[in-house]
Amino acid sequence: MSKKRSLALLGASSMLLSILPAAAFAQAPAAKTLEHLKLSADKVKDPVEISALWASKVGKAENVLVTTDAVFADSLASGALQGTMKAPLLFIDAKAGLDEQTVKTITSLGATKVTVLGGEEAISKSIAESLAKVAGVTEVSRVEGASRVETSIALAEKTKAKDDTVIIARSDDYADSLAAGALAARTGFPVVLVPQPYKVMKDGKEETINLHPAVEEYLKKAATKKVIVAGGPSAVADSTFTAIKNIVADTTRASGESRRETAVALAKLWNNTGKVTVVEGYSDVNGFHNGFAAALSAANLGAPVVLTNKAQTLSEAELALAGPAATGVTGYCGTYVNDALCKVVADKQGAAVKNVMLADSAAVLPLKTTPTDMAKLVGAATNAPSRAYEVAEAAADVEYTITLAKGKKDEKGNIVLDLGTDERPQKSEEASISVVNGAVATNANDVKVKAVAGKISFSVKADKENGNGYVIPIITAVDGENPKVVGMGGPIHVSPIALENGKYLGEVEIGDWDIESVDKEAKTLVVKKGDKKRTLTFKEIDLLYKDAVANNNRVDFTTFMKELSKGDKLKATAADNGTLYYGQQTIPSTIVWEDAAPVAPGVEVSTKDAPTQDTITLKLSNVEDGATVTVKAFKLTPAGETMNGLNYKTNEAKFTINRTFPNVKQLADKSVEVKVTGLDADSKYDFAVSQTVGEEISDFGDFGAAGANAVPANALQTTKIPESLAIAKVERKTDIVNDGDATDDTLVVTLDSDKFDGGAVDMNKITVEAKTGGTLKAVAGTSATVGENAQTKTFEIKLQAPLKDAVNDIEYTVKFQQGAVTTKAPTLKPGTPAEFKFMYR
């Protein structure tokens, strides 16, 4: 895991807990509170403080999003980006400029990166420059599009959610996006906006556009597999729904007859436990601020958004979402929700209402804790390694508590806090705190400490020999009546048993383990069997076998790491001492590896296309549909000569060509045919073919034999380049003695090639054709002999009729059919006569 990613993940974990009860790590049930956000008495501009209030629930965040408070366009699709970046949304009064409260919120969150939503007409360049000058901010970027629809797509692309589900919402109103945004923050499903169907003129005709072209392109490009349409036909038209369904078959609506019922339908996708976030959904002014600013806090708490009406009541369906199963902080009420309604919800949950103002939540400021990346410590009976942390900007008069909490991997592989049934962090016993501010601690799971010169230092030791879990150190401080998480260090993976140099090699039980992921740079991988997962680290001293433990199955470390990929298996058998790794420091690990690579293709010559001078068509079997096929062609030495034996696996042969055929398609009989072009004529070739599916590459299927110093008998051969007669000239036999007897029916042919020394001419296979029409043939049965020396390369053709005299030139063509001239050299290619044109008057 990279350091950048770890930072973001730690911020994500801290967002899961903003207020902790006094006995945060005790087993006794925590007090239940429903937090009601209140604007301060000397309130600044409402939207600015509203978003700051919701951001205060996050704790710390490396990223923040900022957008204008004037219109909702750029906020509509912000939910997924809030969730994946763990970035709260802050509203800015674009006309007034950057507010002091926004600056204070960014610094209190510890944010270093700011992402502006919308173009410069929404948030000006000068405001962006002011944001870059806020203390601690190192990067300001902008996400924008030509319209709110394109902006939503730009946000979806920046989200880079791994999930293949998209939420569709209307672009002309914020009603359905209030609840959809929180769901997007919870799941990472991007929200993409669609307009109502509209008409355009095309080729002089009016045409209805049911789905914005940019949305259609995105759904196809993102390979979307599921679409959730938020709202009914009045929000997203049936024709638009149909157009989406034609692209993504699994398209459904989450809707009701009103925006409130649509919010309930979306809330039911949360697997809710009785928590709710209540916001006012019908306000004519600033109605969208609470809903969009609440998305990240609601997602972190697991409290879906429900909407009140103007009368400040909730329906039975909405109240049914709030229940006694909710624990700890049971939800939030937005700033426009009245006290009476907030109490109704709290009573339904068995919780007390707690009023929260911005001033109350800022009493204890977040601390900067380093390091933030993940480390791996090996637990041992003696000389256990430790990791040192430093906490900066701590107040001198505050007593802090350092606690080691349990961590775990979430469904995306991120390290997050392992929360209990009450959604509070649990103490870890995998490690202990060994040194605090330079003094030896009591090897406890938590200690109380005060800052020295604004800093706290402590070390965590992995002293449990058989431990195997994740530990996250968190720092809490009393804020009012409750402790609050104000700092969090990078997680530690406590590992058992050191094999060599303190590197972790974990034991794995007997059985087959599927490889779930591979980090080849770190030489680690995650294996899974049922609900069990293990992280393994390989070293070059390991004994690596393919398929079974046998000398001829040993593979070298380089080959192993190159071919290892997701989908392969690792095996542990009783014969291997029951583990993939021996738990002893002096014995290398034994690994039995089952490669999931596809089989080598079968190779034969195609009967569909006969070989030509430069092309041979191969017919391949056992090729998976859509695989990438690699063909290597090796030109063999002429018959009678020796050649080096081929060994394709070690690539010893020097190949004439190396060609790739991506995304091949199977024929009806499950075979594949590929044309290999660019070959030399009249040459023999041996072919080696492999296929690649995903990361897996097969061995080579070899057409010819691979014996040393022998040309394979079944090697494929291209055809020869045909030889043609070379004719220098054709003339009419002239009246040599000037006796008036010109010979108009006899032609004299002169050859122009040394290749035709000696041979015979068959007059039956020679014709003379006039361009103006008509064919003259040689006298039947006549023949001629081509001489065997340079002086006798001519022969005569006696025609059955004389050539015609004419005022103008007549073009004649002498045509030699196959076999007309037989010589010692190769004859004409069948069906391709030699031709020679001459003029006669």
Side-chain angles (χ1 to χ4, degrees):
M1 181 181 294
S2 68
K3 291 187 178 183
K4 281 187 176 180
R5 191 177 181 195
S6 298
L7 263 169
L9 298 179
L10 290 172
S13 297
S14 65
M15 294 175 192
L16 294 175
L17 29 127
S18 57
I19 300 295
L20 294 180
F25 299 93
Q27 298 302 315
K32 299 190 341 180
T33 58
L34 181 68
E35 296 189 352
H36 191 179
L37 277 60
K38 298 275 191 175
L39 295 173
S40 58
D42 57 341
K43 61 184 178 182
V44 293
K45 183 159 178 59
D46 288 0
V48 175
E49 184 164 340
I50 287 170
S51 60
L53 269 167
W54 287 107
S56 70
K57 302 288 92 187
V58 170
K60 291 192 107 178
E62 183 183 7
N63 293 275
V64 294
L65 311 179
V66 299
T67 190
T68 177
D69 68 349
V71 292
F72 57 80
D74 298 323
S75 305
L76 286 169
S78 65
L81 197 60
Q82 290 187 51
T84 56
M85 291 181 65
K86 307 304 178 189
L89 178 69
L90 302 178
F91 288 110
I92 289 181
D93 183 344
K95 293 182 180 179
L98 188 59
D99 191 277
E100 181 182 350
Q101 180 61 61
T102 303
V103 174
K104 181 180 178 182
T105 303
I106 293 173
T107 55
S108 66
L109 288 167
T112 60
K113 299 176 183 177
V114 178
T115 302
V116 176
L117 307 186
E120 291 186 2
E121 69 281 0
I123 299 293
S124 67
K125 183 178 180 181
S126 62
I127 291 180
E129 291 172 347
S130 298
L131 286 165
K133 296 176 183 178
V134 174
V137 173
T138 60
E139 179 183 324
V140 176
S141 59
R142 189 186 294 268
V143 180
E144 61 180 316
S147 68
R148 64 187 64 184
V149 173
E150 280 95 342
T151 297
S152 73
I153 292 172
L155 287 167
E157 291 174 340
K158 186 174 179 63
T159 298
K160 295 180 180 177
K162 293 180 180 178
D163 208 297
D164 50 12
T165 300
V166 171
I167 301 173
I168 296 290
R170 66 191 300 176
S171 63
D172 59 338
D173 196 347
Y174 62 79
D176 299 323
S177 292
L178 293 177
L183 176 62
R186 179 74 168 179
T187 60
F189 302 161
V191 173
V192 173
L193 305 177
V194 294
Q196 296 289 356
Y198 57 96
K199 297 183 183 297
V200 297
M201 295 300 296
K202 187 175 182 181
D203 299 329
K205 296 181 180 179
E206 193 174 66
E207 181 178 317
T208 299
I209 304 298
N210 291 307
L211 183 62
H212 195 291
V215 178
E216 180 178 355
E217 181 183 359
Y218 171 76
L219 293 176
K220 293 177 180 178
K221 181 180 176 181
T224 307
K225 293 183 180 178
K226 182 177 177 62
V227 170
I228 302 169
V229 176
S234 61
V236 177
D238 282 335
S239 58
T240 301
F241 180 90
T242 300
I244 295 171
K245 196 172 181 65
N246 288 337
I247 301 171
V248 183
D250 188 2
T251 297
T252 57
R253 284 190 190 269
S255 62
E257 294 184 2
S258 68
R259 66 182 65 181
R260 298 171 66 190
E261 292 176 4
T262 294
V264 170
L266 291 166
K268 289 180 179 179
L269 302 177
W270 283 60
N271 296 321
N272 189 30
T273 57
K275 298 188 175 187
V276 290
T277 298
V278 185
V279 298
E280 207 285 289
Y282 286 83
S283 177
D284 294 329
V285 181
N286 299 334
F288 61 89
H289 297 127
N290 272 283
F292 293 132
L296 180 58
S297 298
N300 288 339
L301 190 63
V305 165
V306 296
L307 309 176
T308 73
N309 58 11
K310 292 184 178 180
Q312 294 277 304
T313 64
L314 291 178
S315 67
E316 290 185 5
E318 290 172 313
L319 283 173
L321 295 171
T327 57
V329 176
T330 63
Y332 304 116
C333 290
T335 60
Y336 296 150
V337 178
N338 65 33
D339 293 340
L341 179 58
C342 202
K343 188 174 186 310
V344 169
V345 177
D347 289 345
K348 189 84 164 44
Q349 298 172 322
V353 176
K354 177 185 177 182
N355 293 329
V356 177
M357 292 186 179
L358 199 59
D360 294 339
S361 61
V364 179
L365 296 177
L367 306 179
K368 294 183 178 178
T369 307
T370 54
T372 55
D373 59 337
M374 192 173 85
K376 184 177 286 186
L377 302 181
V378 178
T382 58
N383 301 321
S386 63
R387 190 181 205 199
Y389 295 87
E390 183 174 278
V391 183
E393 301 181 3
D397 57 345
V398 175
E399 184 177 65
Y400 298 93
T401 300
I402 304 168
T403 303
L404 301 184
K406 289 182 180 180
K408 68 174 183 178
K409 280 192 175 183
D410 65 9
E411 64 276 6
K412 295 183 179 180
N414 304 325
I415 308 302
V416 298
L417 286 170
D418 187 358
L419 305 179
T421 55
D422 59 353
E423 297 197 10
R424 293 295 186 271
Q426 309 294 302
K427 278 187 182 179
S428 170
E429 296 181 356
E430 300 292 321
S432 62
I433 300 170
S434 56
V435 178
V436 178
N437 286 346
V440 177
T442 58
N443 292 337
N445 299 95
D446 59 4
V447 294
K448 295 186 182 301
V449 63
K450 285 195 173 185
V452 176
K455 293 184 178 180
I456 301 169
S457 62
F458 65 94
S459 297
V460 177
K461 182 171 64 175
D463 53 5
K464 186 173 181 180
E465 185 171 356
N466 295 318
N468 188 12
Y470 294 97
V471 176
I472 300 176
I474 62 175
I475 301 96
T476 59
V478 175
D479 184 13
E481 297 180 355
N482 298 301
K484 173 184 178 182
V485 173
V486 292
M488 183 179 295
I492 299 169
H493 185 190
V494 178
S495 308
I497 305 172
L499 179 67
E500 183 182 27
N501 299 327
K503 294 293 185 180
Y504 162 64
L505 294 176
E507 292 184 316
V508 178
E509 303 94 77
I510 291 175
D512 290 352
W513 291 76
D514 295 318
I515 295 180
E516 188 171 83
S517 63
V518 178
D519 186 340
K520 295 190 177 183
E521 183 177 350
K523 298 177 182 177
T524 62
L525 75 160
V526 176
V527 294
K528 183 179 181 182
K529 180 171 69 173
D531 59 352
K532 296 179 180 179
K533 284 187 181 182
R534 300 287 186 272
T535 300
L536 305 179
T537 303
F538 294 116
K539 299 181 70 64
E540 295 200 32
I541 61 170
D542 293 333
L543 302 178
L544 308 168
Y545 295 91
K546 192 170 182 178
D547 299 327
V549 178
N551 288 335
N552 59 344
N553 290 338
R554 278 286 299 273
V555 291
D556 61 82
F557 188 78
T558 301
T559 300
F560 172 71
M561 290 307 299
K562 181 180 179 181
E563 297 186 14
L564 189 67
S565 66
K566 180 178 179 180
D568 292 354
K569 290 181 181 292
L570 296 183
K571 295 183 178 181
T573 66
D576 302 325
N577 204 25
T579 61
L580 290 173
Y581 288 103
Y582 291 107
Q584 302 177 35
Q585 296 189 18
T586 57
I587 302 178
S589 304
T590 299
I591 301 165
V592 184
W593 165 50
E594 182 179 297
D595 191 4
V599 298
V603 187
E604 59 183 301
V605 66
S606 171
T607 57
K608 179 180 178 182
D609 297 316
T612 64
Q613 299 167 34
D614 66 349
T615 301
I616 292 177
T617 302
L618 299 178
K619 184 174 183 179
L620 311 177
S621 56
N622 300 323
V623 176
E624 295 190 28
D625 197 30
T628 295
V629 169
T630 300
V631 176
K632 297 187 177 186
F634 180 66
K635 184 178 178 181
L636 303 176
T637 55
E641 298 182 21
T642 61
M643 57 169 282
N644 292 325
L646 301 182
N647 187 336
Y648 296 117
K649 290 185 179 179
T650 55
N651 211 18
E652 291 177 355
K654 185 177 181 181
F655 291 95
T656 306
I657 65 167
N658 190 340
R659 194 154 299 150
T660 300
F661 300 86
N663 303 318
V664 298
K665 300 298 181 185
Q666 292 180 346
L667 303 177
D669 62 354
K670 303 298 185 183
S671 66
V672 169
E673 290 192 342
V674 293
K675 286 188 177 182
V676 186
T677 59
L679 304 175
D680 293 337
D682 194 20
S683 300
K684 288 186 177 181
Y685 283 91
D686 190 8
F687 290 90
V689 184
S690 67
Q691 64 172 318
T692 302
V693 181
E695 294 180 327
E696 294 285 1
I697 304 174
S698 73
D699 289 336
F700 283 107
D702 184 8
F703 183 84
N709 300 322
V711 176
N714 59 348
L716 300 180
Q717 181 161 0
T718 55
T719 59
K720 299 176 181 179
I721 297 176
E723 297 283 355
S724 297
L725 285 172
I727 302 173
K729 59 183 177 178
V730 177
E731 300 174 293
R732 180 173 68 94
K733 189 172 181 180
T734 59
D735 182 9
I736 299 176
V737 295
N738 196 24
D739 60 359
D741 183 18
T743 309
D744 295 337
D745 60 353
T746 303
L747 299 178
V748 180
V749 178
T750 302
L751 300 180
D752 186 23
S753 174
D754 293 336
K755 295 182 180 179
F756 300 99
D757 284 352
V761 179
D762 184 352
M763 297 300 172
N764 293 320
K765 296 182 178 180
I766 297 176
T767 57
V768 178
E769 295 181 2
K771 188 175 182 180
T772 55
T775 299
L776 299 176
K777 294 183 180 181
V779 175
T782 61
S783 64
T785 301
V786 181
E788 297 186 1
N789 56 65
Q791 285 71 38
T792 56
K793 289 187 179 178
T794 62
F795 62 89
E796 295 182 353
I797 303 174
K798 179 71 173 176
L799 301 175
Q800 293 177 355
L803 301 176
K804 295 179 179 180
D805 289 327
V807 176
N808 298 317
D809 291 346
I810 298 176
E811 182 180 297
Y812 286 93
T813 301
V814 179
K815 291 189 177 183
F816 296 83
Q817 299 177 11
Q818 173 64 29
V821 179
T822 57
T823 71
K824 295 178 181 179
T827 57
L828 292 174
K829 180 181 178 182
T832 306
E835 297 183 354
F836 190 86
K837 292 180 172 60
F838 68 98
M839 306 300 292
Y840 172 73
R841 177 179 295 176

